[in-house]
Amino acid sequence: MLDSVQLSCFSCHLSARLGNILAQKAWDMGTRTLDRLDRRILEELQADARISNQELAKRVGLSAAPCWRRLRRLEQAGFIAGYATLLRAPAIGLPILAYAVVSLENHHPESVRQFDQLVTSRPEVLECHSMSGANDYLLRIVAASMEAYEHFLSTQLLQLQAVRSVNTSFVLRTKKFTTRLPVG
């Protein structure tokens, strides 16, 4: 009876070790698929990026060293873009949230470069997306007041010759906000 238990445990250990070796080979060969444990690690980190490796390992059912190795592999493979602290914009004096759709007059490389330079250099522009459809770009912008937004619009964005039009919608109330991606 004792031999069968030891054999069973050895078999489980061997099977787990073989699974880790195969998973490592897949990562090394550039196949970047997420297994159940990788997804659990990503879910836990999205919930609390400040979690210790020890606690993360406990929550996902691994020991600390394999958890750390998986985490490093996820970072190196580009699944984890970085770690950040999320601030509440109204609490730091930025209660205005606006979405602006922008259309350009033309798409000459110099026009696009000037537009790109403006949006990347302005801290109030949180996101800029090139869009399909009638408009060219969608901007997510924060401001301290309506006057501050209007100042940004008139002295920055509309000063670019390539900008044909800007249509802005202001957020009245946020019903849902999350940074968590569905990895499960």
Side-chain angles (χ1 to χ4, degrees), residues 89-160:
I92 61 167
L94 297 167
I96 304 298
L97 177 58
Y99 287 90
V101 289
V102 179
S103 293
L104 300 183
E105 284 290 346
N106 61 63
H107 293 95
H108 297 306
E110 181 59 21
S111 300
V112 173
R113 188 196 62 74
Q114 286 177 358
F115 179 78
D116 289 350
Q117 184 178 351
L118 176 80
V119 297
T120 56
S121 69
R122 298 302 306 183
E124 58 267 82
V125 179
L126 302 180
E127 296 177 30
C128 175
H129 305 277
S130 178
M131 304 297 288
S132 64
N135 299 294
D136 297 312
Y137 296 97
L138 174 66
L139 306 180
R140 182 171 159 238
I141 303 166
V142 291
S145 64
M146 292 298 280
E147 293 79 13
Y149 177 78
E150 190 276 330
H151 181 75
F152 164 75
L153 185 65
S154 63
T155 66
Q156 300 294 318
L157 196 53
L158 292 175
Q159 290 302 308
L160 294 177

Side-chain angles (χ1 to χ4, degrees), residues 3-149:
D3 288 339
S4 67
V5 171
Q6 287 177 343
L7 183 57
S8 173
C9 289
F10 176 73
S11 175
C12 289
H13 175 72
L14 184 60
S15 178
R17 180 75 181 125
L18 182 58
N20 285 341
I21 291 170
L22 292 175
Q24 179 64 47
K25 290 294 180 198
W27 278 84
D28 292 344
M29 293 173 28
T31 306
R32 295 201 167 96
T33 57
L34 297 172
D35 67 14
R36 182 186 59 79
L37 287 173
D38 293 332
R39 292 179 188 283
R40 287 283 299 133
I41 289 170
L42 294 175
E43 286 174 0
E44 291 296 334
L45 286 173
Q46 285 188 108
D48 181 6
R50 294 176 45 166
I51 190 171
S52 70
N53 183 61
Q54 192 73 27
E55 181 61 23
L56 178 61
K58 180 178 153 188
R59 289 186 189 179
V60 300
L62 288 172
S63 59
C67 183
W68 182 85
R69 284 192 297 272
R70 280 179 176 265
L71 179 56
R72 291 301 163 255
R73 275 199 316 261
L74 290 166
E75 290 171 343
Q76 291 167 353
F79 288 103
I80 298 172
Y83 300 89
T85 299
L86 301 176
L87 304 178
R88 290 184 51 250
I92 61 167
L94 297 167
I96 304 298
L97 177 58
Y99 287 90
V101 289
V102 179
S103 293
L104 300 183
E105 284 290 346
N106 61 63
H107 293 95
H108 297 306
E110 181 59 21
S111 300
V112 173
R113 188 196 62 74
Q114 286 177 358
F115 179 78
D116 289 350
Q117 184 178 351
L118 176 80
V119 297
T120 56
S121 69
R122 298 302 306 183
E124 58 267 82
V125 179
L126 302 180
E127 296 177 30
C128 175
H129 305 277
S130 178
M131 304 297 288
S132 64
N135 299 294
D136 297 312
Y137 296 97
L138 174 66
L139 306 180
R140 182 171 159 238
I141 303 166
V142 291
S145 64
M146 292 298 280
E147 293 79 13
Y149 177 78

